[in-house]
């Protein structure tokens, strides 16, 4: 093929890989150190008393630092969820799977995690769930120490109480 | 008190999956040249350039404003770059407006863009972090649970989202620049499309687009001399709130309500549904129409879906308050530009220059953008008259 006949090259793929060293900072360090021991640790806002997990060291509502550490339950309530039907790149989970916003007992904010051992169509807001942990010898500084949350055979939490239960699962 | 400013030129590219015929520089220049031509101006008439762009990771070009100075004719001129996630196009227009309203410059060019085909925007933000499990299934995965909570609170019929998906694509079919051209779309087609993030179906989500949008904003004196009618900027507001805090109302965010109240006050709007002739509101997922109808005060809380179902927001059903006549984000989504397109499209409406998707006699309109975890808001009100 002569030079004239060649098609112009207008695009080549050149993926960019960025590798980060994550420096946790003081509050996430506490969270990560505790989860390595199989404990969900939150922090309480000194002003509004809301308990955050995973804590970032401040209350987003009051704009003040959080210091007091609070140990939370690994039982939680489903605040909302979605059934995902497409795969996550570099993640072996096969769709359809459930991503839920769960609030651990004793906390006032939710975080997202996987739900499993459930019938997808029966998952609902207010449902009680509990963490299923990896074997202890696999625990690291990671939320992934929890493999997923599974349904608990407990009555649903009324909507107005979601995110307001005490660490023992009672009305706050 | 701010000086008066107006939009005197608007330029857009067409929106499509892949613009392989131009580089990023070529893309932004195309929109900018279109805006200058629309204003009957040249590069020499521009005092400064305000560029907006969603995260650099989307194209992998860090600080693209540096590389784009030549393409935007601003060698030796002031340039500033704005970055507020999905709301960036709106925020950029506001930053541009403020540089004229403050008297700093007489006439500025503002541009925003996205070339999604040069990266994978859906995953560019889903970096693993140790304090969170890596389940960020794209923006749809983030917003679907919030939509589910809206459904629970409002008891909206399941097909209100489907109706929005159809309505905005029918609007888009009137707009030759729109990415998705689906003049024959039906409720059934949307309902039968693949359920991606329950309750969001494939056709209830925005596309990934390449494209750019530009505007020329001028002060009162220069705007009066402009050959086409100016779109007078009657109110500007930005608000933000943290992604996460205890008791946050994710369905109906405080920052959105505060932003709307501020911009309405400036523009003398007391009843948005009645006072506006149309609105361009950032709706990347169908259900955000009813949710924002409530957040922006067009409907009481829990009743936004009723306006949607009545056809109040539809041009084709002669609704009293058409939303997203251009087809909206559901028809074209070059993320970095999407907010500015909303702002530019309402300016087109009040200039009477919106072609087949013109709302007859539009005099006052709302442009809106949101970004991040529905936490960054940018809004402006433009009118055919100064006050």
């Amino acid at each position: 093929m002569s030079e004239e006949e060649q098609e112009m090259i207008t695009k080549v793929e050149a993926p960019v890989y960025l590798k980060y060293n994550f420096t946790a900072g003081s509050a996430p360090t506490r969270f990560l150190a505790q989860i390595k021991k199989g404990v969900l640790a939150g922090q309480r806002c000194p002003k509004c008393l809301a308990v955050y997990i995973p804590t970032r060291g401040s209350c987003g509502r009051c704009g003040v630092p959080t210091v007091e550490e609070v140990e939370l339950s690994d039982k939680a309530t489903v605040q909302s969820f979605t059934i995902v039907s497409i795969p996550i790149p570099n993640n072996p989970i096969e769709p359809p799977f459930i991503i839920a916003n769960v609030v651990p007992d004793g906390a006032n904010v939710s975080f997202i995690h996987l739900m499993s051992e459930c019938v997808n169509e029966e998952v609902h807001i207010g449902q009680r769930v509990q963490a299923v942990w990896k074997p202890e010898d696999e625990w690291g500084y990671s939320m992934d120490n929890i493999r997923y949350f599974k349904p608990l055979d407990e009555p649903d939490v009324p909507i107005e109480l979601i995110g307001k239960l005490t660490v023992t699962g009672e009305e706050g | 008190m701010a000086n008066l400013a107006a939009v005197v030129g608007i330029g857009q590219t067409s929106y499509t999956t892949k613009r392989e015929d131009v580089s990023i520089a070529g893309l932004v220049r195309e929109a900018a040249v279109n805006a200058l031509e629309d204003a009957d101006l040249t590069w020499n008439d521009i005092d400064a350039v305000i560029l907006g762009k969603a995260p650099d990771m989307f194209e992998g070009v860090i600080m693209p404003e540096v590389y784009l100075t030549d393409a935007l004719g601003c060698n030796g001129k002031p340039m500033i770059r704005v970055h507020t996630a999905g709301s960036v196009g709106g925020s950029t227009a506001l930053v541009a407006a403020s540089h004229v309203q403050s008297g700093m410059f007489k006439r500025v060019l503002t541009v925003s863009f996205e070339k999604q085909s040069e990266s994978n925007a859906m995953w560019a933000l889903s970096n693993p972090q140790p304090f969170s499990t890596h389940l960020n299934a794209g923006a749809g995965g983030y917003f679907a649970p919030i939509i589910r909570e809206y459904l629970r609170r409002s008891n909206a019929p399941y097909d209100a989202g489907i109706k929005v998906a159809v309505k905005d694509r029918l609007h888009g079919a009137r707009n030759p620049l729109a990415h998705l051209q689906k003049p024959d779309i039906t409720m059934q087609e949307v309902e039968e499309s693949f359920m991606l993030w329950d309750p969001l179906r494939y056709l209830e989500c925005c596309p990934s687009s390449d494209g750019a949008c530009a505007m020329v904003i001028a002060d009162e004196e220069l705007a009066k001399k402009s050959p086409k009618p100016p779109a007078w900027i009657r109110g500007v507001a930005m608000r933000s709130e943290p992604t996460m805090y205890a008791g946050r109302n994710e369905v109906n965010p405080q920052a959105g309500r505060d932003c709307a109240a501020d911009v309405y006050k400036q523009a003398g709007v007391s009843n948005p549904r009645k006072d506006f002739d149309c609105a361009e509101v950032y709706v990347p997922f169908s259900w955000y129409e009813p949710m924002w109808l409530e957040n922006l005060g067009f409907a009481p809380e829990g009743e936004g879906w009723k306006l949607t179902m009545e056809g109040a927001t539809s041009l084709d059903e002669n609704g009293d308050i058409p939303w997203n006549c251009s087809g909206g984000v559901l028809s074209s989504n070059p993320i970095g530009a999407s907010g500015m397109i909303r702002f530019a499209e309402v300016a087109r409406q009040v200039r009477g220059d919106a072609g087949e998707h013109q709302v007859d006699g539009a005099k006052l309109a709302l442009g809106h953008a949101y970004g991040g975890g529905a936490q960054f808001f940018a809004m402006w009100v433009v009118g055919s008259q100064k006050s």
Side-chain angles (χ1 to χ4, degrees), chain A residues 21-62:
Chain A
N21 286 323
F22 182 84
T23 304
S26 56
T29 290
R30 287 301 305 159
F31 169 76
L32 294 170
Q34 291 288 59
I35 201 158
K36 193 171 190 300
K37 293 187 273 184
V39 173
L40 285 174
Q43 283 188 343
R44 193 189 315 273
C45 171
K47 204 168 159 196
C48 72
L49 306 181
V51 173
Y52 284 87
I53 182 170
T55 176
R56 306 296 288 270
S58 65
C59 172
R61 179 160 62 185
C62 304

Side-chain angles (χ1 to χ4, degrees), chain B residues 168-206:
Chain B
D168 278 1
R169 274 52 176 268
L170 292 178
H171 286 174
R174 295 164 173 256
N175 175 8
L177 300 177
H179 177 172
L180 298 185
Q181 292 292 332
K182 298 180 78 64
D184 303 318
I185 192 168
T186 62
M187 297 280 283
Q188 187 184 353
E189 183 184 352
V190 177
E191 184 164 357
E192 288 174 357
S193 67
F194 189 63
M195 188 68 88
L196 288 176
W197 302 283
D198 195 321
L200 281 172
R201 295 166 182 82
Y202 177 73
L203 284 174
E204 292 181 89
C205 303
C206 55

Side-chain angles (χ1 to χ4, degrees), chain B residues 268-337:
Chain B
V269 167
S270 55
N271 180 342
R273 182 172 178 182
K274 189 167 145 286
D275 296 346
F276 290 123
D277 297 297
C278 58
E280 285 276 341
V281 177
Y282 206 98
V283 176
F285 301 104
S286 60
W287 281 100
Y288 269 90
E289 174 168 303
M291 287 161 69
W292 291 151
L293 278 164
E294 296 169 26
N295 189 246
L296 297 171
F298 286 71
E301 196 160 7
E303 296 183 17
W305 59 269
K306 290 183 183 169
L307 271 65
T308 297
M309 295 309 277
E310 285 165 12
T313 57
S314 164
L315 264 183
D316 298 277
E317 295 179 59
N318 293 314
D320 63 283
I321 183 63
W323 269 34
N324 296 322
C325 301
S326 67
V329 182
L330 280 171
S331 295
S332 315
N333 187 32
I335 302 175

